[in-house]
Amino acid sequence: MYSAGSNIVGKFTQSVRRIVQDVKDEGTASGQTKEEVIETNERLRAVRIRLEESYDTAKKSLITLMTKYTESKSTRNVFQRYNLLKAMIKDVIRLETQYWTLVEIPKQEKQETVPSFVLRACGIVEKSQKSGEGVKSTAKIAEEDEKKRERIDRLCDMTTAQIEAENTQMTNDLYRLLKKYTGLRNLIRELKVEYVNSKVYPIFPRYNILKDLIKDIMHHQEYMEVCHEVDAV
């Protein structure tokens, strides 16, 4: 009797838990289903990884530019340093021609909300990622599929509201990353334009122009805000 009673209590407890879970999963603030919030979670995660790659590439290229510029000060010969300045700038602006290295991010419309802008940016990043992807090995595909299953299993154990809360945090984090990346991307784009425009000048005016181009970036707010970031080991 005791065993049967315990069994009934156990089943009742499980039923209550399922009911509570169902109540929690009845809906979210956005009105999305659990499948939809899981899909959004996957999209945000994938785009963040892709964008972080482009962000790190842009940031490191500019930091390297500043390092090379500082080192070039020890070169006393003006002609030699002039060639060094040209070379170090070209190393950076070359990224502008590599569409698979730096993704293009649209401007946020005035009336556009953060979630809407982030999802629109996600669509653009996803398209650029597909066009720049190489051929993956069978082992790599299997590894990615396994990791995806693990992520989906984790999300399935969460309530819809919990996943949406995580998505909100990921959206805000991605928004900040988009803003920082766009700032650096604009610096590189402007550097390319100014570098090309400087070609009309002879060496001595241009020598000073190239130095000023680099120093302008060095003191630009967009660069100063990220140049001291510590990369994860």
Side-chain angles (χ1 to χ4, degrees), residues 53-67 92 95 184 223 231-232:
E53 292 174 356
S54 290
Y55 172 70
D56 287 340
T57 298
K59 183 178 70 173
K60 288 176 182 177
S61 71
L62 291 176
I63 291 176
T64 300
L65 173 65
M66 299 310 157
T67 301
V92 175
L95 296 175
L184 297 187
Y223 173 75
D231 294 326

Side-chain angles (χ1 to χ4, degrees), residues 66 134 180 211 215 223 230 233:
M66 299 310 157
K180 290 197 298 182
K211 287 197 300 180
K215 287 189 288 185
Y223 173 75
V230 178
V233 179

Side-chain angles (χ1 to χ4, degrees), residues 138-152:
T138 304
K140 182 65 175 177
I141 294 174
E143 180 185 349
E144 291 181 353
D145 288 344
E146 178 61 27
K147 288 182 178 179
K148 183 175 182 178
R149 279 194 294 271
E150 292 175 357
R151 292 194 304 271
I152 298 299

Side-chain angles (χ1 to χ4, degrees), residues 79-97:
F79 296 98
Q80 290 180 352
R81 192 181 184 205
Y82 172 68
N83 288 327
L84 289 174
L85 293 173
K86 288 194 298 179
M88 66 181 72
I89 291 176
K90 283 193 284 188
D91 283 343
V92 175
I93 63 178
R94 190 176 293 118
L95 296 175
E96 272 292 298
T97 63

Side-chain angles (χ1 to χ4, degrees), residues 105-109 112-122 174-175 178-179 182:
I105 302 299
K107 288 185 178 180
Q108 183 178 8
E109 302 295 338
E112 194 172 24
T113 63
V114 169
S116 296
F117 169 66
V118 169
L119 288 178
R120 184 162 66 91
C122 282
L174 188 53
Y175 179 73
L178 282 165
K179 289 298 183 182
T182 300

Side-chain angles (χ1 to χ4, degrees), residues 135-168:
V135 178
K136 296 181 181 179
S137 65
T138 304
K140 182 65 175 177
I141 294 174
E143 180 185 349
E144 291 181 353
D145 288 344
E146 178 61 27
K147 288 182 178 179
K148 183 175 182 178
R149 279 194 294 271
E150 292 175 357
R151 292 194 304 271
I152 298 299
D153 287 343
R154 180 185 72 86
L155 294 173
C156 285
D157 289 337
M158 298 166 62
T159 66
T160 306
Q162 287 173 331
I163 301 171
E164 188 169 57
E166 183 175 294
N167 289 355
T168 298

